[in-house]
Amino acid sequence: MPITSIYHERLYLDMTCTCPVLNCSTSMNRLLTTFRDFSGANPTKQTMNELARYTQTTIPTKQRKIRTLVPTIYWQAACRPTLTFLLPFALYLLTLAPTVYNLDSAELTTAAATGGILRATGYPFYLILGRLWTMLPVGDVGLRLNLFSAFCGALTILLADYSLRRLRVGLWARLGALGLLASAPYFWAMSLIAEVYTLHTALLAGIVLAGMRWQEQPTPSRLALVVFLVTVSMGNHAATVLLLPGLAWLLVATAPRQLAQWRTWRLALPAALLGASVFLYLPLRYAAAPAFNYAGEFDAQGQFMPVNLQTVDGFFWLVTGRSFAGQMFGYDLAGVAGETVAFAGQLWQAFFAVGIGPGLLGATLMLRRDRRVGGMLLLLFTTNVFFYVNYRVIDKNTMYLPAYVIWALWLGVGLEQLWAWTKHTRLLWPSRLVIVALVLMAMSWNWQRVDLSDDWSTRQQGEEILEAVAPNAIILGWWDSVPVVQYLQFVEGRRPDVLAINRFLISDENMKRLIHHQAGRRPVYVNAATPELMQSMRVERAGPLYRLYPRELSVE
């Protein structure tokens, strides 16, 4: 039976299978439960009024009018969420990168497509889902993984919309808040290339929604869903650990006594094991000795020495990100202050300035109305911002996206309150139109900044490199050159004779020894000729790279 038919039948039974003398409270509870089951949100005030009128009528009256109410509820339960997903998805499709992209994106694409292993923190859940997406019969493998990010970006918007509906935020306020989130520069950009960030935000939005559902009705099954989403999200991004303080607050503030009972956790513990099972990917793939492996390092002979992921120490070295420990809390107080100001400017830009005031209003209102959910959102926001403000890496702007999602929820609540204050004035509709106009302006302004629909530069560079290098060559380069070469090698089968080494995976000392040992035996290329290399080696330009010769040998 089609979903629509199942939905109509369930709704019809709940609305008609009551006695002629109706108990208003009981009937409304049944109808609201049905609506929430199918829509994932609370009904609007208009629908509430319609449902209330039905609880005060007899069965024949209900049967005569049922056809007028079902389409209205079905629109809210199915059609409107579909549009909420499709609109941002269409935006991302129009600006999507058409093939493999550079830097981390090429690394993620190659690992997902070949069953390879990534650097810390492993990202096994992304690799599992990415592997499935590479099977889509659309474009090349690079495009398919880019499409996966677009899907996750749109899914984030949909799940955030469900959360706002549970907070009784109306259509116009949701449109303003989520429109600005969808068109925020970094969120939009990460929805166009293969990256882990939009999957992370989608899981975050799902965790927030599941937590709100548990807070409304703290049952073991709903707690199990929260636990499962958290553990499986850990398999995508280790920053999921930053969500734990907020979730712990929600659980303790909602039902502290219930949490002390074993029966509360009887489903949560199996759910945790199921979610954590994605980490088995890492030792299993290690046992298969994949050709693409970034968990290890090269020695001075050019041999890759993988970390043993079947040992406890090797496994936890990877998944805990121990190699990045030096970047954590890497600023002094002056540096933290500067990074905080930089984040505030990024947030200002992301929500087109107009979203800052209403966002602060929404955060305040959430704390006053419901300290449980409001406190959870505040902790989710502050822990993410605090950690990344202190995280000393150059590409952390994209790591603030979870804070964007929380801010969008606050913004929706704040806009709804502003419009409630102007409900009986002439400012209501003009202010709504202004917000819509600002969303369209943000899309137009940021479009030219993030549009990758005609960007073939990464593939072209990789092809130029492989055409320029001699047979049996060694290439030593950074993220802007080596990952795309490896994509062309391992995914598309080009030039298997070439050994491409990311300089991230070899120490400076070992690289120097490798160059001096191999330059007289096989062609050696680097992405940049340093003064030290130019003193000890003869350097010749070779396309995007530089070829190195021992000084005692003449250039062929």
Side-chain angles (χ1 to χ4, degrees):
M1 182 180 293
I3 292 177
T4 54
S5 300
I6 296 173
Y7 172 75
H8 287 187
E9 178 182 349
R10 169 76 181 278
L11 184 62
Y12 181 85
L13 290 174
D14 273 0
M15 296 181 71
T16 58
C17 293
T18 54
C19 59
V21 181
L22 293 170
N23 180 302
C24 181
S25 174
T26 302
S27 299
M28 277 299 295
N29 286 336
R30 296 183 65 191
L31 295 178
L32 289 175
T33 300
T34 301
F35 185 89
R36 292 191 184 106
D37 286 346
F38 285 93
S39 68
N42 292 316
T44 63
K45 185 179 296 185
Q46 178 183 358
T47 303
M48 287 278 289
N49 292 336
E50 291 287 341
L51 293 174
R53 283 197 292 270
Y54 272 97
T55 61
Q56 299 170 9
T57 60
T58 60
I59 291 177
T61 304
K62 291 179 180 181
Q63 292 173 335
R64 288 196 303 269
K65 295 182 179 180
I66 187 69
R67 294 179 182 178
T68 63
L69 183 58
V70 168
T72 300
I73 301 179
Y74 182 69
W75 162 254
Q76 295 185 49
C79 298
R80 187 179 290 174
T82 301
L83 287 177
T84 303
F85 174 85
L86 288 179
L87 288 176
F89 189 58
L91 178 69
Y92 302 146
L93 286 181
L94 292 173
T95 52
L96 193 70
T99 187
V100 62
Y101 200 67
N102 217 336
L103 306 174
D104 295 356
S105 183
E107 178 199 0
L108 288 164
T109 301
T110 306
T114 63
I117 298 174
L118 292 168
R119 56 195 162 95
T121 54
Y123 311 100
F125 188 51
Y126 179 90
L127 293 179
I128 293 170
L129 295 182
R131 178 74 171 181
L132 297 176
W133 273 81
T134 61
M135 300 177 185
L136 291 176
V138 179
D140 63 22
V141 173
L143 174 65
R144 296 169 198 170
L145 269 296
N146 298 342
L147 187 64
F148 179 50
S149 291
F151 175 87
C152 292
L155 181 61
T156 301
I157 302 300
L158 175 62
L159 294 173
D161 180 71
Y162 276 124
S163 293
L164 286 173
R165 290 164 69 183
R166 299 191 90 87
L167 295 172
R168 297 191 179 279
V169 175
L171 173 63
W172 291 95
R174 300 200 310 273
L175 175 62
L178 299 179
L180 289 174
L181 172 62
S183 58
Y186 287 109
F187 188 88
W188 191 345
M190 291 299 100
S191 299
L192 307 181
I193 61 175
E195 265 294 359
V196 298
Y197 296 113
T198 55
L199 177 58
H200 184 43
T201 58
L203 289 167
L204 164 66
I207 291 168
V208 170
L209 180 60
M212 293 170 64
R213 292 182 72 249
W214 181 84
Q215 183 260 335
E216 294 172 359
Q217 187 177 350
T219 62
S221 59
R222 293 192 174 193
L223 178 61
L225 178 60
V226 175
V227 171
F228 171 76
L229 290 175
V230 169
T231 51
V232 81
S233 181
M234 290 289 293
N236 175 66
H237 205 295
T240 302
V241 72
L242 301 175
L243 310 182
L244 297 183
L247 292 172
W249 164 259
L250 179 70
L251 298 181
V252 172
T254 300
R257 294 182 180 177
Q258 189 172 338
L259 295 176
Q261 300 175 4
W262 160 249
R263 61 181 182 181
T264 302
W265 300 95
R266 68 179 186 274
L267 298 179
L269 294 179
L273 293 176
L274 179 62
S277 66
V278 298
F279 285 98
L280 294 175
Y281 173 93
L282 299 173
L284 291 175
R285 290 310 304 161
Y286 170 82
F292 185 84
N293 189 346
Y294 265 44
E297 62 180 0
F298 284 88
D299 62 16
Q301 285 71 45
Q303 296 295 318
F304 184 71
M305 311 298 292
V307 173
N308 188 348
L309 300 182
Q310 293 185 320
T311 65
V312 174
D313 185 64
F315 177 81
F316 280 99
W317 174 88
L318 182 67
V319 300
T320 60
R322 197 182 303 168
S323 58
F324 295 112
Q327 282 75 39
M328 300 177 187
F329 302 101
Y331 294 100
D332 56 19
L333 288 178
V336 170
E339 292 297 310
T340 303
V341 172
F343 167 71
Q346 183 178 328
L347 192 67
W348 177 281
Q349 182 186 46
F351 288 92
F352 221 56
V354 71
I356 301 302
L360 292 172
L361 174 63
T364 304
L365 290 173
M366 285 296 301
L367 287 172
R368 292 180 59 185
R369 293 174 180 175
D370 189 339
R371 64 182 181 88
R372 296 166 297 181
V373 175
M376 175 188 70
L377 296 180
L378 182 61
L379 285 171
L380 294 179
F381 181 85
T382 54
T383 51
N384 273 272
V385 173
F386 177 78
F387 178 81
Y388 285 118
V389 159
N390 287 275
Y391 193 39
R392 197 182 186 93
V393 292
I394 61 175
D395 59 343
K396 67 180 179 182
N397 289 337
T398 56
M399 301 176 186
Y400 288 118
L401 295 191
Y404 283 19
V405 175
I406 303 304
W407 194 272
L409 298 179
W410 286 338
L411 177 56
V413 173
L415 289 175
E416 184 67 18
Q417 183 60 54
L418 289 176
W419 285 328
W421 288 336
T422 61
K423 182 176 181 180
H424 300 293
T425 69
R426 296 181 179 181
L427 298 176
L428 178 60
W429 276 100
S431 61
R432 288 176 172 177
L433 295 177
V434 167
I435 289 295
V436 173
L438 288 171
V439 170
L440 295 176
M441 287 176 61
M443 290 182 182
S444 176
W445 177 265
N446 293 324
W447 186 298
Q448 58 187 345
R449 302 175 60 193
V450 303
D451 182 20
L452 298 176
S453 59
D454 196 34
D455 191 339
W456 298 83
S457 60
T458 298
R459 172 178 283 277
Q460 291 170 354
Q461 176 181 271
E463 292 173 343
E464 289 175 4
I465 290 173
L466 290 180
E467 289 177 3
V469 299
N472 200 35
I474 297 176
I475 300 174
L476 294 159
W478 287 108
W479 299 99
D480 58 343
S481 55
V482 168
V484 64
V485 169
Q486 294 174 319
Y487 168 83
L488 294 174
Q489 287 183 296
F490 296 119
V491 178
E492 299 188 359
R494 303 192 190 185
R495 296 297 304 271
D497 60 298
V498 173
L499 173 62
I501 300 176
N502 192 324
R503 291 173 63 175
F504 175 79
L505 301 177
I506 187 170
S507 68
D508 289 341
E509 182 61 31
N510 281 343
M511 186 179 73
K512 293 175 187 177
R513 293 169 59 189
L514 174 65
I515 290 173
H516 287 283
H517 182 261
Q518 293 290 343
R521 294 178 170 85
R522 57 191 295 188
V524 177
Y525 299 82
V526 294
N527 67 315
T530 64
E532 183 179 0
L533 276 177
M534 296 181 72
Q535 290 178 359
S536 60
M537 307 291 292
R538 191 184 301 275
V539 180
E540 181 183 83
R541 185 80 183 188
L545 303 176
Y546 296 89
R547 182 169 178 177
L548 305 179
Y549 300 87
R551 279 200 171 273
E552 62 271 15
L553 296 179
S554 61
V555 178
E556 298 179 1

